[in-house]
Structures are given as C-alpha cells and as structure tokens.
C-alpha cells in the first residue's frame, strides 16, 4: 500500500462551517468548473457519493464511508481499477480558521502505484487548494 499526502492549506473560515460543506459530497459539484475538463467528465454528486469518468481510466464512484465531525471525512473508491481510500482532514487553527490536508492510500502493485502516484498527488493538492479558496 502506498500513502500520498497533499500540501497543507489554510482556510479562513471556522472548522464547523468548512466541515458542514465538505462532508456533504453534493457540494463538490460547485467545484466542477475548477476541474480539468479533459480528464474528469460526467460528474454526478449526492450527499454520500461522487461518480465521474476519468480519462483514460473510466467511470467510478467515490463514496463517503466515515465522517468524524468536524475533523475528518473518509472516502473509498467503488468500481475503481485500484483500491483507493481518501481522507480529508481539518484542524482548527483559531476561532475563524482551520487548515486542511488530503491523504490517499492506494492498494495497487508497485508498478501501478508508481505510475499513478504523481497524478494523485497533483489531484490532492488541487482539491485542498480549491477548498482554501471557496466561500463557506
């Protein structure tokens, strides 16, 4: 198993507001315009799932499997070509601010893990950066 961590980003909003928004995966749809259209398509979001197609991998679903308010959301891939678990972590840094980091754990053979590590790291970094720039 390979573990990949994003950069840490500061969010100038209270942890409770941030958690309320990001723990409901249907709110991710508001970030769709910030995602690369050539790589991610056909995105559908519900409170507990995000389903999309990734070129050249195909269609799969990310499902929230655990929520620990207000500090962590655990998401697992369903129907993905490799085992993938994501954690979005939030830590308060003050009354009106927090920081976030995303972590991915890949369950794939060593060659496949090396092949997908860089795109996953870049994706995690983009997600936490986008979360640091939106209104809560």
């Amino acid at each position: 198993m390979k573990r990949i961590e994003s950069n840490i980003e500061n969010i100038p909003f209270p942890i409770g507001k941030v958690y309320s928004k990001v723990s409901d995966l249907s709110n991710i749809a508001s970030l769709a315009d910030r995602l690369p259209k050539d790589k991610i398509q056909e995105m559908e979001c519900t409170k507990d799932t995000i389903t999309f197609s990734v070129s050249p991998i195909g269609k799969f679903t990310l499902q929230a499997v655990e929520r620990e308010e207000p500090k962590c959301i655990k998401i697992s891939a369903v129907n993905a070509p490799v085992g993938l678990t994501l954690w979005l972590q939030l830590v308060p840094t003050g009354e009106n601010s927090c920081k976030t980091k995303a972590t991915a754990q890949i369950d794939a053979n060593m060659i496949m893990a090396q092949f997908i590590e860089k795109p996953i790291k870049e994706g995690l970094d983009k997600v936490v950066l986008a979360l640091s720039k939106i209104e809560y």
Side-chain angles (χ1 to χ4, degrees):
M1 288 199 194
K2 178 80 175 167
R3 187 169 281 237
I4 304 164
E5 295 184 352
S6 73
N7 295 325
I8 296 171
E9 294 290 339
N10 292 307
I11 301 176
F13 291 92
I15 191 171
K17 278 187 157 185
V18 176
Y19 180 85
S20 291
K21 187 157 191 166
V22 300
S23 65
D24 180 346
L25 300 182
S26 65
N27 290 322
I28 300 300
S30 66
L31 298 176
D33 62 328
R34 299 174 190 230
L35 301 173
K37 305 271 187 274
D38 61 325
K39 301 226 189 290
I40 298 176
Q41 301 145 359
E42 303 174 35
M43 188 162 74
E44 300 171 22
C45 301
T46 69
K47 182 181 189 296
D48 295 316
T49 63
I50 305 169
T51 301
F52 53 94
S53 292
V54 177
S55 179
I57 297 170
K59 191 170 190 171
F60 66 96
T61 298
L62 297 175
Q63 180 175 14
V65 293
E66 190 177 317
R67 292 177 174 94
E68 189 178 338
E69 188 173 353
K71 56 185 178 179
C72 186
I73 299 105
K74 181 179 177 182
I75 300 168
S76 289
V78 179
N79 299 329
V82 297
L84 176 66
T85 303
L86 305 169
W87 290 267
L88 182 64
Q89 299 142 325
L90 300 167
V91 177
T93 56
E95 191 173 309
N96 292 310
S97 62
C98 61
K99 59 185 175 181
T100 187
K101 176 176 85 168
T103 303
Q105 183 171 297
I106 305 166
D107 187 9
N109 66 48
M110 194 165 77
I111 294 169
M112 179 64 90
Q114 289 176 342
F115 180 71
I116 62 177
E117 180 177 5
K118 183 179 177 187
I120 288 177
K121 167 75 168 129
E122 290 172 354
L124 294 176
D125 287 342
K126 287 177 183 178
V127 166
V128 295
L129 183 61
L131 292 175
S132 74
K133 297 189 179 297
I134 62 174
E135 290 287 323
Y136 294 91

